[in-house]
Amino acid sequence: MERTDARQPRSLAPLWGSMLRSIFPKCVRAEEIPQSATPAAEAPDVAPKAAEPTLQFEMFSREWQQTSMQDNWDGFRIEAQNKVTDQLQATHALFLGTQLRECGYIYQFGPAFQSVDGRTMLVARYGLDGGVNARAVQRVGKSWELKAMSNSSLKDPQRNMHEGSVEYTGPHMALAGKLSWQGAWLWSGALSRKILPSLQLGGDLTLVAVNGVTSIGQIGLRYAEGKDAFTASLSRSPDQKTPGSQAHECRLQYVRKVTDRLALGSEFKYSYPDKESGLQLAYEYSFRQARVQGLLDTDGKVSCCVQDFTGFGFSGMIDYARGDYKFGVMMHVLPPPEAGQQ
Protein backbone atom coordinates (compact mmCIF):
# COMPACT_ATOMS: atom_id res chain seq x y z
CA MET A 1 0.00 0.00 0.00
CA GLU A 2 1.07 3.41 -0.76
CA ARG A 3 1.64 5.64 2.25
CA THR A 4 -0.38 8.79 2.16
CA ASP A 5 0.84 11.98 3.86
CA ALA A 6 -1.75 13.18 6.39
CA ARG A 7 -0.42 16.76 6.28
CA GLN A 8 -2.37 19.00 3.96
CA PRO A 9 -0.78 21.82 2.01
CA ARG A 10 -0.61 25.03 4.15
CA SER A 11 -2.70 27.95 2.97
CA LEU A 12 -0.99 31.31 2.37
CA ALA A 13 -4.12 33.38 3.28
CA PRO A 14 -3.36 33.75 7.03
CA LEU A 15 0.18 34.78 6.24
CA TRP A 16 -0.87 37.50 3.84
CA GLY A 17 -3.59 38.64 6.22
CA SER A 18 -1.12 39.17 9.10
CA MET A 19 1.22 41.09 6.82
CA LEU A 20 -1.55 43.38 5.57
CA ARG A 21 -2.79 44.04 9.12
CA SER A 22 0.68 45.10 10.15
CA ILE A 23 0.79 47.64 7.33
CA PHE A 24 -2.82 48.87 7.33
CA PRO A 25 -4.30 49.09 10.85
CA LYS A 26 -7.79 47.83 11.30
CA CYS A 27 -10.56 50.43 11.64
CA VAL A 28 -12.48 49.82 14.83
CA ARG A 29 -15.88 51.37 15.45
CA ALA A 30 -16.57 53.25 18.67
CA GLU A 31 -19.33 50.88 19.70
CA GLU A 32 -16.91 47.96 19.47
CA ILE A 33 -14.54 49.38 22.11
CA PRO A 34 -15.37 48.29 25.67
CA GLN A 35 -15.86 51.10 28.18
CA SER A 36 -13.21 49.66 30.46
CA ALA A 37 -10.59 50.27 27.77
CA THR A 38 -11.29 53.97 27.37
CA PRO A 39 -9.85 56.40 29.94
CA ALA A 40 -12.30 58.74 31.63
CA ALA A 41 -12.35 62.18 30.04
CA GLU A 42 -11.15 64.89 32.40
CA ALA A 43 -13.38 67.91 32.84
CA PRO A 44 -11.68 71.15 31.74
CA ASP A 45 -10.55 73.26 34.66
CA VAL A 46 -12.46 76.40 33.70
CA ALA A 47 -13.90 78.68 36.37
CA PRO A 48 -17.58 79.54 35.86
CA LYS A 49 -18.20 83.04 34.61
CA ALA A 50 -19.54 85.34 37.33
CA ALA A 51 -22.93 86.81 36.53
CA GLU A 52 -23.41 90.57 36.39
CA PRO A 53 -24.91 91.63 39.75
CA THR A 54 -28.01 93.77 39.97
CA LEU A 55 -26.98 97.36 40.64
CA GLN A 56 -28.70 100.39 42.03
CA PHE A 57 -29.58 102.90 39.33
CA GLU A 58 -27.09 105.48 40.61
CA MET A 59 -24.33 102.86 40.24
CA PHE A 60 -25.01 102.02 36.59
CA SER A 61 -21.91 103.96 35.53
CA ARG A 62 -19.70 102.73 38.38
CA GLU A 63 -16.76 101.91 36.08
CA TRP A 64 -16.81 105.41 34.63
CA GLN A 65 -17.14 106.97 38.07
CA GLN A 66 -14.16 105.01 39.37
CA THR A 67 -12.05 105.96 36.36
CA SER A 68 -12.96 109.65 36.00
CA MET A 69 -13.68 110.86 39.54
CA GLN A 70 -10.55 112.30 41.12
CA ASP A 71 -9.79 113.68 44.56
CA ASN A 72 -8.05 116.85 43.39
CA TRP A 73 -6.69 119.19 46.05
CA ASP A 74 -4.26 122.07 46.30
CA GLY A 75 -1.52 122.91 48.76
CA PHE A 76 -0.19 120.42 51.28
CA ARG A 77 -2.44 117.71 52.69
CA ILE A 78 -1.67 115.17 55.39
CA GLU A 79 -3.92 112.34 56.58
CA ALA A 80 -3.18 110.24 59.65
CA GLN A 81 -4.93 107.30 61.27
CA ASN A 82 -4.60 106.03 64.82
CA LYS A 83 -5.91 102.59 65.74
CA VAL A 84 -7.90 102.72 68.98
CA THR A 85 -9.38 99.22 68.87
CA ASP A 86 -9.74 96.53 66.23
CA GLN A 87 -12.99 98.17 65.04
CA LEU A 88 -12.39 101.84 65.92
CA GLN A 89 -9.91 104.26 64.37
CA ALA A 90 -9.25 107.96 64.89
CA THR A 91 -8.58 109.94 61.71
CA HIS A 92 -6.91 113.33 61.26
CA ALA A 93 -6.79 115.49 58.13
CA LEU A 94 -4.84 118.74 57.71
CA PHE A 95 -4.91 121.05 54.67
CA LEU A 96 -2.37 123.88 54.35
CA GLY A 97 -2.35 126.53 51.63
CA THR A 98 -5.72 125.48 50.22
CA GLN A 99 -8.25 127.59 48.36
CA LEU A 100 -11.19 125.70 49.85
CA ARG A 101 -11.35 128.09 52.82
CA GLU A 102 -10.67 131.79 53.09
CA CYS A 103 -8.27 131.22 56.01
CA GLY A 104 -6.16 128.92 53.82
CA TYR A 105 -6.17 125.85 56.10
CA ILE A 106 -8.50 123.07 57.25
CA TYR A 107 -8.20 120.62 60.13
CA GLN A 108 -10.65 117.76 60.63
CA PHE A 109 -10.78 115.04 63.25
CA GLY A 110 -13.18 112.18 63.82
CA PRO A 111 -13.73 108.49 64.56
CA ALA A 112 -14.39 105.67 62.11
CA PHE A 113 -16.09 102.48 63.34
CA GLN A 114 -16.82 99.25 61.51
CA SER A 115 -18.27 96.13 63.10
CA VAL A 116 -16.57 92.75 62.90
CA ASP A 117 -19.06 91.40 60.35
CA GLY A 118 -18.86 94.62 58.30
CA ARG A 119 -22.60 95.25 58.46
CA THR A 120 -22.39 98.44 60.53
CA MET A 121 -20.27 101.47 59.67
CA LEU A 122 -20.13 104.83 61.47
CA VAL A 123 -17.98 107.78 60.35
CA ALA A 124 -17.85 111.31 61.76
CA ARG A 125 -15.69 114.40 61.13
CA TYR A 126 -15.41 117.68 63.00
CA GLY A 127 -13.56 120.69 61.57
CA LEU A 128 -12.16 123.83 63.10
CA ASP A 129 -14.39 125.85 60.75
CA GLY A 130 -17.45 124.66 62.67
CA GLY A 131 -18.47 121.92 60.24
CA VAL A 132 -19.64 118.51 61.40
CA ASN A 133 -20.14 115.53 59.06
CA ALA A 134 -21.60 112.19 60.08
CA ARG A 135 -22.57 109.07 58.16
CA ALA A 136 -24.06 105.73 59.19
CA VAL A 137 -24.65 102.56 57.16
CA GLN A 138 -26.48 99.49 58.45
CA ARG A 139 -27.12 96.33 56.47
CA VAL A 140 -30.28 94.38 57.30
CA GLY A 141 -30.48 90.81 56.09
CA LYS A 142 -28.99 89.99 52.71
CA SER A 143 -30.82 92.55 50.56
CA TRP A 144 -31.61 95.66 52.63
CA GLU A 145 -29.38 98.58 53.54
CA LEU A 146 -30.17 101.68 55.61
CA LYS A 147 -28.14 104.89 55.26
CA ALA A 148 -28.13 108.23 57.05
CA MET A 149 -25.97 111.29 56.48
CA SER A 150 -25.83 114.71 58.09
CA ASN A 151 -23.75 117.82 57.36
CA SER A 152 -23.96 120.82 59.64
CA SER A 153 -22.05 124.11 59.67
CA LEU A 154 -22.22 126.91 62.23
CA LYS A 155 -20.78 129.52 59.87
CA ASP A 156 -22.30 128.59 56.50
CA PRO A 157 -26.01 127.66 56.65
CA GLN A 158 -25.97 126.61 52.98
CA ARG A 159 -23.81 123.64 53.92
CA ASN A 160 -26.51 122.19 56.20
CA MET A 161 -27.89 118.98 54.72
CA HIS A 162 -29.56 115.90 56.18
CA GLU A 163 -30.80 112.78 54.42
CA GLY A 164 -31.89 109.21 55.03
CA SER A 165 -32.30 106.40 52.52
CA VAL A 166 -33.28 102.76 52.25
CA GLU A 167 -32.07 100.39 49.51
CA TYR A 168 -33.11 96.93 48.41
CA THR A 169 -30.94 94.83 46.08
CA GLY A 170 -32.36 91.54 44.89
CA PRO A 171 -31.23 89.00 42.31
CA HIS A 172 -33.17 90.66 39.47
CA MET A 173 -34.38 94.03 40.80
CA ALA A 174 -33.11 96.93 42.93
CA LEU A 175 -35.13 99.67 44.67
CA ALA A 176 -34.08 102.83 46.49
CA GLY A 177 -35.89 105.63 48.34
CA LYS A 178 -34.39 108.79 49.81
CA LEU A 179 -35.72 111.71 51.85
CA SER A 180 -33.45 114.72 52.36
CA TRP A 181 -33.47 118.36 53.39
CA GLN A 182 -31.18 120.92 51.72
CA GLY A 183 -32.97 124.16 52.53
CA ALA A 184 -36.02 122.46 50.97
CA TRP A 185 -37.47 118.98 51.17
CA LEU A 186 -36.49 116.48 48.50
CA TRP A 187 -37.83 113.00 47.86
CA SER A 188 -36.38 110.60 45.31
CA GLY A 189 -37.05 107.04 44.25
CA ALA A 190 -35.13 104.75 41.90
CA LEU A 191 -35.80 101.41 40.22
CA SER A 192 -33.52 99.12 38.23
CA ARG A 193 -34.32 95.79 36.61
CA LYS A 194 -32.12 93.10 35.08
CA ILE A 195 -33.57 92.22 31.68
CA LEU A 196 -30.74 90.01 30.42
CA PRO A 197 -27.63 88.68 32.17
CA SER A 198 -25.68 91.63 30.73
CA LEU A 199 -28.45 94.25 30.31
CA GLN A 200 -30.12 96.36 33.00
CA LEU A 201 -32.70 99.13 32.69
CA GLY A 202 -33.64 101.69 35.31
CA GLY A 203 -34.73 105.19 36.18
CA ASP A 204 -35.25 107.61 39.06
CA LEU A 205 -37.55 110.50 39.95
CA THR A 206 -36.83 113.41 42.31
CA LEU A 207 -39.46 115.78 43.69
CA VAL A 208 -38.34 119.13 45.14
CA ALA A 209 -40.60 121.32 47.28
CA VAL A 210 -39.75 124.51 45.37
CA ASN A 211 -42.35 126.59 43.49
CA GLY A 212 -44.95 124.06 44.50
CA VAL A 213 -43.39 120.79 43.38
CA THR A 214 -40.53 120.54 40.89
CA SER A 215 -39.65 117.20 39.33
CA ILE A 216 -36.39 115.85 37.93
CA GLY A 217 -36.48 112.55 36.06
CA GLN A 218 -33.93 110.22 34.51
CA ILE A 219 -33.93 106.92 32.64
CA GLY A 220 -30.96 104.81 31.59
CA LEU A 221 -29.51 101.46 30.66
CA ARG A 222 -26.36 99.50 31.40
CA TYR A 223 -24.72 96.80 29.30
CA ALA A 224 -21.66 95.02 30.68
CA GLU A 225 -20.02 92.03 29.04
CA GLY A 226 -16.54 90.82 29.94
CA LYS A 227 -14.13 93.76 29.93
CA ASP A 228 -16.57 96.23 28.36
CA ALA A 229 -19.17 98.40 30.11
CA PHE A 230 -21.56 100.79 28.33
CA THR A 231 -24.13 103.05 29.97
CA ALA A 232 -26.59 105.59 28.57
CA SER A 233 -28.94 107.99 30.34
CA LEU A 234 -31.49 110.65 29.43
CA SER A 235 -32.50 113.23 32.02
CA ARG A 236 -35.10 115.99 32.23
CA SER A 237 -34.83 118.92 34.65
CA PRO A 238 -36.02 122.53 34.91
CA ASP A 239 -34.08 124.92 32.69
CA GLN A 240 -32.23 127.41 34.88
CA LYS A 241 -31.76 129.83 31.98
CA THR A 242 -35.40 129.89 30.91
CA PRO A 243 -37.83 129.65 33.86
CA GLY A 244 -40.86 127.50 33.15
CA SER A 245 -39.17 125.37 30.49
CA GLN A 246 -37.46 121.99 30.63
CA ALA A 247 -33.92 121.00 29.67
CA HIS A 248 -32.89 117.55 28.47
CA GLU A 249 -29.46 115.96 28.56
CA CYS A 250 -28.13 112.70 27.12
CA ARG A 251 -24.97 111.00 28.42
CA LEU A 252 -23.11 108.03 26.93
CA GLN A 253 -20.24 106.34 28.78
CA TYR A 254 -17.98 103.51 27.72
CA VAL A 255 -15.17 101.88 29.73
CA ARG A 256 -12.79 99.21 28.48
CA LYS A 257 -10.71 97.12 30.90
CA VAL A 258 -7.61 96.76 28.75
CA THR A 259 -5.69 94.74 31.36
CA ASP A 260 -6.17 93.88 35.01
CA ARG A 261 -4.43 97.16 35.86
CA LEU A 262 -5.35 99.56 33.04
CA ALA A 263 -8.81 100.92 32.26
CA LEU A 264 -9.74 103.45 29.56
CA GLY A 265 -13.05 105.31 29.39
CA SER A 266 -14.89 108.10 27.60
CA GLU A 267 -18.10 110.07 28.06
CA PHE A 268 -20.15 112.08 25.57
CA LYS A 269 -22.92 114.44 26.66
CA TYR A 270 -25.40 116.55 24.73
CA SER A 271 -27.99 118.98 26.07
CA TYR A 272 -31.11 120.39 24.48
CA PRO A 273 -32.31 123.10 23.79
CA ASP A 274 -28.87 124.61 24.51
CA LYS A 275 -27.36 122.25 21.91
CA GLU A 276 -24.15 122.06 23.90
CA SER A 277 -21.94 118.98 23.83
CA GLY A 278 -18.87 117.75 25.64
CA LEU A 279 -16.43 114.86 25.51
CA GLN A 280 -14.24 113.45 28.27
CA LEU A 281 -11.42 110.90 28.13
CA ALA A 282 -10.11 109.20 31.27
CA TYR A 283 -7.68 106.48 32.27
CA GLU A 284 -6.81 104.63 35.45
CA TYR A 285 -3.76 102.49 36.17
CA SER A 286 -3.85 100.55 39.44
CA PHE A 287 -0.95 99.17 41.42
CA ARG A 288 -1.14 96.99 44.50
CA GLN A 289 -1.25 99.95 46.89
CA ALA A 290 -1.45 102.92 44.52
CA ARG A 291 -3.19 104.20 41.42
CA VAL A 292 -2.76 106.83 38.71
CA GLN A 293 -5.71 108.69 37.17
CA GLY A 294 -5.94 111.17 34.32
CA LEU A 295 -8.79 113.15 32.77
CA LEU A 296 -9.06 115.31 29.65
CA ASP A 297 -12.23 117.04 28.45
CA THR A 298 -13.24 119.44 25.70
CA ASP A 299 -14.09 122.17 28.22
CA GLY A 300 -10.39 122.92 28.53
CA LYS A 301 -9.72 120.95 31.71
CA VAL A 302 -6.77 118.63 32.29
CA SER A 303 -6.20 116.81 35.58
CA CYS A 304 -4.10 114.02 37.02
CA CYS A 305 -3.96 112.35 40.42
CA VAL A 306 -1.35 109.94 41.79
CA GLN A 307 -2.08 108.30 45.13
CA ASP A 308 0.00 105.89 47.15
CA PHE A 309 -2.24 104.63 49.94
CA THR A 310 0.73 104.05 52.25
CA GLY A 311 2.91 107.04 51.37
CA PHE A 312 2.76 110.15 49.21
CA GLY A 313 0.34 111.46 46.63
CA PHE A 314 0.31 114.21 44.00
CA SER A 315 -2.54 116.09 42.36
CA GLY A 316 -2.67 118.56 39.50
CA MET A 317 -5.56 120.26 37.72
CA ILE A 318 -5.58 123.00 35.06
CA ASP A 319 -8.78 124.65 33.85
CA TYR A 320 -7.72 126.76 30.88
CA ALA A 321 -11.22 128.16 30.31
CA ARG A 322 -11.50 129.60 33.85
CA GLY A 323 -7.82 130.17 34.44
CA ASP A 324 -7.83 127.93 37.53
CA TYR A 325 -4.70 126.01 38.55
CA LYS A 326 -4.42 123.57 41.45
CA PHE A 327 -1.39 121.55 42.50
CA GLY A 328 -1.01 119.62 45.73
CA VAL A 329 1.05 117.10 47.67
CA MET A 330 -0.38 114.59 50.13
CA MET A 331 1.16 112.34 52.76
CA HIS A 332 -0.45 109.37 54.51
CA VAL A 333 0.53 108.42 58.05
CA LEU A 334 -0.75 104.95 59.00
CA PRO A 335 -0.30 103.02 62.26
CA PRO A 336 2.50 100.43 62.16
CA PRO A 337 1.35 96.82 61.59
CA GLU A 338 1.05 94.59 64.60
CA ALA A 339 3.54 91.84 65.31
CA GLY A 340 3.06 88.91 62.96
CA GLN A 341 1.28 91.01 60.31
CA GLN A 342 2.72 92.19 57.00
Side-chain angles (χ1 to χ4, degrees):
M1 294 180 62
E2 296 182 359
R3 186 178 178 182
T4 60
D5 192 357
R7 292 180 298 177
Q8 299 294 331
R10 185 177 180 181
S11 177
L12 298 177
L15 179 61
W16 286 105
S18 59
M19 295 177 60
L20 292 176
R21 282 195 299 269
S22 61
I23 299 176
F24 302 100
K26 180 182 179 181
C27 296
V28 182
R29 297 181 180 180
E31 58 269 17
E32 298 178 359
I33 302 177
Q35 295 183 358
S36 59
T38 59
E42 297 182 357
D45 188 10
V46 178
K49 183 179 179 181
E52 171 76 1
T54 305
L55 301 178
Q56 294 289 338
F57 179 73
E58 64 180 1
M59 297 301 296
F60 270 19
S61 59
R62 62 176 184 176
E63 290 85 0
W64 171 251
Q65 295 176 12
Q66 180 180 355
T67 305
S68 62
M69 293 185 64
Q70 301 179 13
D71 184 15
N72 297 114
W73 70 92
D74 58 342
F76 178 74
R77 172 180 173 183
I78 182 172
E79 294 186 353
Q81 297 180 4
N82 183 25
K83 183 178 179 181
V84 181
T85 63
D86 292 339
Q87 289 78 41
L88 181 63
Q89 289 186 347
T91 60
H92 306 261
L94 176 64
F95 296 75
L96 297 176
T98 178
Q99 302 177 8
L100 299 176
R101 298 291 187 272
E102 296 180 358
C103 59
Y105 67 90
I106 301 175
Y107 174 73
Q108 295 179 341
F109 166 79
F113 171 81
Q114 186 175 13
S115 60
V116 179
D117 56 2
R119 302 177 66 87
T120 303
M121 184 181 68
L122 303 173
V123 180
R125 287 286 183 94
Y126 170 76
L128 295 180
D129 57 351
V132 179
N133 305 327
R135 183 183 180 187
V137 179
Q138 176 64 52
R139 298 199 62 180
V140 180
K142 297 182 179 180
S143 304
W144 294 90
E145 192 171 72
L146 305 177
K147 297 181 180 180
M149 184 176 64
S150 178
N151 297 334
S152 178
S153 177
L154 299 176
K155 299 180 180 180
D156 189 0
Q158 295 183 358
R159 295 170 55 189
N160 296 335
M161 181 184 66
H162 314 280
E163 70 176 31
S165 63
V166 56
E167 297 180 356
Y168 168 80
T169 304
H172 302 288
M173 182 176 62
L175 302 171
K178 180 187 298 183
L179 179 65
S180 60
W181 185 85
Q182 303 178 10
W185 288 103
L186 293 87
W187 178 88
S188 62
L191 167 67
S192 61
R193 176 76 178 182
K194 181 185 290 187
I195 307 301
L196 297 174
S198 302
L199 178 63
Q200 300 185 40
L201 303 179
D204 65 359
L205 176 64
T206 302
L207 302 178
V208 186
V210 175
N211 298 327
V213 177
T214 303
S215 63
I216 302 174
Q218 186 177 196
I219 58 174
L221 63 87
R222 168 187 170 86
Y223 181 84
E225 180 69 24
K227 298 182 178 181
D228 303 299
F230 172 78
T231 56
S233 63
L234 177 62
S235 62
R236 180 190 62 85
S237 60
D239 192 350
Q240 303 295 334
K241 300 179 181 179
T242 307
S245 61
Q246 301 292 328
H248 300 78
E249 185 180 54
C250 177
R251 290 178 178 264
L252 306 175
Q253 294 117 4
Y254 172 74
V255 177
R256 168 72 176 180
K257 194 77 171 178
V258 181
T259 64
D260 294 339
R261 296 180 180 272
L262 177 62
L264 300 177
S266 63
E267 180 190 54
F268 174 78
K269 59 182 179 180
Y270 178 80
S271 60
Y272 180 85
D274 296 339
K275 297 182 180 180
E276 296 180 354
S277 62
L279 179 65
Q280 290 184 335
L281 301 176
Y283 70 88
E284 179 188 23
Y285 193 89
S286 301
F287 297 90
R288 179 174 299 179
Q289 295 181 346
R291 67 174 179 174
V292 180
Q293 293 176 279
L295 180 66
L296 173 65
D297 62 22
T298 55
D299 293 334
K301 183 179 178 181
V302 181
S303 62
C304 180
C305 183
V306 180
Q307 291 190 16
D308 183 354
F309 303 119
T310 60
F312 292 91
F314 304 92
S315 173
M317 189 274 293
I318 302 177
D319 192 340
Y320 292 99
R322 299 182 180 181
D324 189 12
Y325 303 86
K326 292 183 179 180
F327 298 95
V329 180
M330 178 175 59
M331 182 175 64
H332 289 275
V333 180
L334 302 177
E338 297 180 357
Q341 296 182 358
Q342 297 294 335

